[in-house]
Amino acid sequence: MKMMNGSTSPQEGENEPSPYGDLSHQAQIRCTVVEEIVNREKAYLQVLHYAVDVMKTELENCCEQIEFEVEDGHVRALFGNVADILVFHKALLKSLESAVGMANKDQAEKNEDFYRKLAESNIGETFVKMRDSFRTYEIYCANHARAEKVAADLIQMSTLKRNLQKWTIEGPFAETTSNESTMLSAILTEPLRHICKLRVLLKTLAVFTPAVHPDLDDIFTSIQITHGAMTSIEATKRGNILQGAYEICDQLQQVWDNRGLCNKQGFLTKRGGSVKNWKIRWFTLRGYEMKYFDEPIDEKALTTLDIHQCNAVVENDSQSKPNCFGLVFPERTYYMYAISASQKAEWTNLIAWKIFVTHSTEERARLAIAAPAQQPLTSVLQLLKC
């Protein structure tokens, strides 16, 4: 399987040494998300450049020739402030590459040291510093419906037929569009899709960023910034676009499952069901099965829990135990506690994420749309509910 950035799943190169060295699973996942964000920014810039440097420029030239029906008003309505968005994202990509050390790095240079620095990088800070620039999306989204109407008019202009056909053949969506109408719609909708995908990726990054990482608070703020920009999209269109954006989670999850990165094991102290005493148990989480044993060497599990049946992960320190949490199943809530706050966060974040990706893309989009734009975010468990 190939992701957008061209990386491959382990089946295609499983005999090759891992460039991640001894990095933890959490750190490796964080690296893949950061790379995905940067590489999607690069691909998005190609679309913006084509829209501004080729399409907009050619239409402006047509306005100066009497034989063409297109007018300056058409061009302004069609592209709105897309040139401002291009300037913003050029600066954003440059700052991101500098922050994560990806500027001018080829695949051969991506070794363990590179990925270690990538995992430790502060990507959220970059978004926070450029928060005011995200307001460009409010203007673009407000103009989008009008731009689509103008696009429908342009398609009917016989004098533009050659231009439209050329853009469809050579443009950034040439492989996925079959006619001028589809191509224009794809170009005009790409900024809306990108801001939704950016929010989804930042949300994913927060799940796999350690609680002690200095970037976590800025990532939460970045999610709110992109969420605010996203709410400028008309509600019905926003829901449809978000469904597509959340497919990224499933694509990433497949890659991580192939590499076993979302498996976890370790000791937790669990409260009994009938007898409310606390006993140390060895837990394993593989796929969507969470098992616990008396000892790590035991082959037969005492119980197997199906995460598909888990309704929620809840914070619970009311059991008079530090670092305690609960897994809510229909028949009972399983309470357990970890040896540290960081271990608790790793377990709860991973389980909550697995519950989250069992939801359909429609449900994930519905939760995101229902979330207030200014809702303060303080934990991953709260984030995965919106």
Side-chain angles (χ1 to χ4, degrees):
M1 173 184 175
K2 289 194 175 184
M3 295 298 294
M4 183 174 182
N5 58 17
S7 60
T8 57
S9 63
Q11 286 93 335
E12 298 175 48
E14 57 188 29
N15 294 323
E16 299 176 5
S18 170
Y20 295 96
D22 62 355
L23 284 183
S24 69
H25 287 181
Q26 186 182 47
Q28 291 185 48
I29 289 175
R30 191 169 197 274
C31 287
T32 63
V33 180
V34 172
E35 282 193 289
E36 193 71 13
I37 290 173
V38 173
N39 287 320
R40 283 185 180 273
E41 277 293 316
K42 291 179 181 178
Y44 180 46
L45 270 179
Q46 292 178 356
V47 177
L48 293 176
H49 269 296
Y50 193 83
V52 174
D53 300 340
V54 178
M55 297 170 65
K56 184 171 181 287
T57 299
E58 288 186 10
L59 283 180
E60 288 171 339
N61 290 337
C62 290
C63 292
E64 298 175 359
Q65 301 176 45
I66 194 169
E67 65 267 28
F68 287 93
E69 305 158 82
V70 63
E71 300 174 357
D72 290 338
H74 290 125
V75 181
R76 289 194 299 271
L78 188 66
F79 293 103
N81 67 330
V82 71
D84 295 332
I85 294 177
L86 171 60
V87 171
F88 161 41
H89 279 277
K90 286 174 67 176
L92 178 60
L93 177 60
K94 183 177 181 179
S95 296
L96 284 173
E97 288 184 321
S98 176
V100 303
M102 284 182 65
N104 303 316
K105 289 280 185 180
D106 60 32
Q107 196 61 40
E109 297 176 281
K110 295 181 179 180
N111 52 25
E112 181 180 354
D113 184 57
F114 166 80
Y115 283 113
R116 189 176 303 281
K117 292 177 181 177
L118 189 65
E120 295 171 354
S121 63
N122 292 352
I123 190 172
E125 182 181 20
T126 301
F127 288 95
V128 173
K129 287 181 177 178
M130 304 188 74
R131 68 187 307 160
D132 290 341
S133 296
F134 279 91
R135 293 188 177 277
T136 55
Y137 280 93
E138 297 177 13
I139 301 170
Y140 187 86
C141 293
N143 183 66
H144 187 259
R146 185 183 175 207
E148 287 193 313
K149 291 180 181 178
V150 171
D153 291 338
L154 292 181
I155 291 168
Q156 303 304 317
M157 295 180 182
S158 58
T159 53
L160 285 179
K161 192 69 175 178
R162 182 176 296 180
N163 299 80
L164 292 165
Q165 289 177 340
K166 180 175 78 76
W167 299 340
T168 303
I169 294 171
E170 70 174 25
F173 299 109
E175 295 182 1
T176 57
T177 56
S178 56
N179 56 59
E180 293 88 346
S181 176
T182 306
M183 180 278 301
L184 267 179
S185 178
I187 290 285
L188 295 176
T189 308
E190 187 62 13
L192 281 58
R193 285 195 292 262
H194 186 74
I195 198 66
C196 289
K197 290 173 183 177
L198 200 51
R199 182 187 185 274
V200 167
L201 284 166
L202 287 167
K203 185 173 183 175
T204 306
L205 184 63
V207 175
F208 297 101
T209 296
V212 296
H213 198 294
D215 201 31
L216 185 58
D217 287 343
D218 282 338
I219 294 173
F220 280 146
T221 302
S222 301
I223 294 167
Q224 290 177 282
I225 293 169
T226 52
H227 184 79
M230 186 188 74
T231 56
S232 301
I233 305 171
E234 187 273 325
T236 301
K237 186 177 292 289
R238 191 190 330 155
N240 293 332
I241 292 173
L242 271 171
Q243 287 183 37
Y246 273 113
E247 291 176 0
I248 297 172
C249 299
D250 302 316
Q251 295 165 2
L252 288 169
Q253 187 63 49
Q254 184 176 344
V255 172
W256 299 336
D257 284 341
N258 288 341
R259 291 167 53 187
L261 296 181
C262 282
N263 296 337
K264 187 171 174 58
Q265 60 185 20
F267 285 107
L268 294 169
T269 303
K270 187 187 77 69
R271 194 183 76 169
S274 300
V275 181
K276 307 299 183 184
N277 57 347
W278 295 85
K279 291 185 178 180
I280 298 175
R281 297 291 187 229
W282 176 257
F283 281 79
T284 64
L285 178 60
R286 291 185 174 86
Y288 294 88
E289 284 190 342
M290 188 172 184
K291 300 180 179 183
Y292 58 86
F293 306 78
D294 265 331
E295 299 290 342
I297 60 173
D298 291 349
E299 294 183 3
K300 184 176 177 58
L302 297 173
T303 297
T304 298
L305 302 175
D306 183 358
I307 298 301
H308 289 97
Q309 304 302 317
C310 186
N311 295 326
V313 182
V314 293
E315 298 273 3
N316 198 307
D317 291 326
S318 63
Q319 300 296 321
S320 301
K321 301 292 183 181
N323 307 315
C324 185
F325 61 95
L327 304 183
V328 182
F329 285 82
E331 70 279 6
R332 63 174 278 200
T333 298
Y334 291 82
Y335 291 104
M336 55 204 76
Y337 66 86
I339 60 172
S340 66
S342 61
Q343 273 299 306
K344 173 188 175 181
E346 283 191 31
W347 278 105
T348 56
N349 290 2
L350 182 56
I351 297 169
W353 170 260
K354 293 204 172 192
I355 295 171
F356 179 74
V357 294
T358 62
H359 295 161
S360 66
T361 54
E362 291 85 354
E363 176 63 11
R364 296 175 216 166
R366 186 194 67 78
L367 290 171
I369 290 174
Q374 299 303 318
Q375 179 186 22
L377 297 173
T378 58
S379 73
V380 167
L381 297 188
Q382 176 196 15
L383 173 64
L384 289 176
K385 295 177 183 177
C386 64

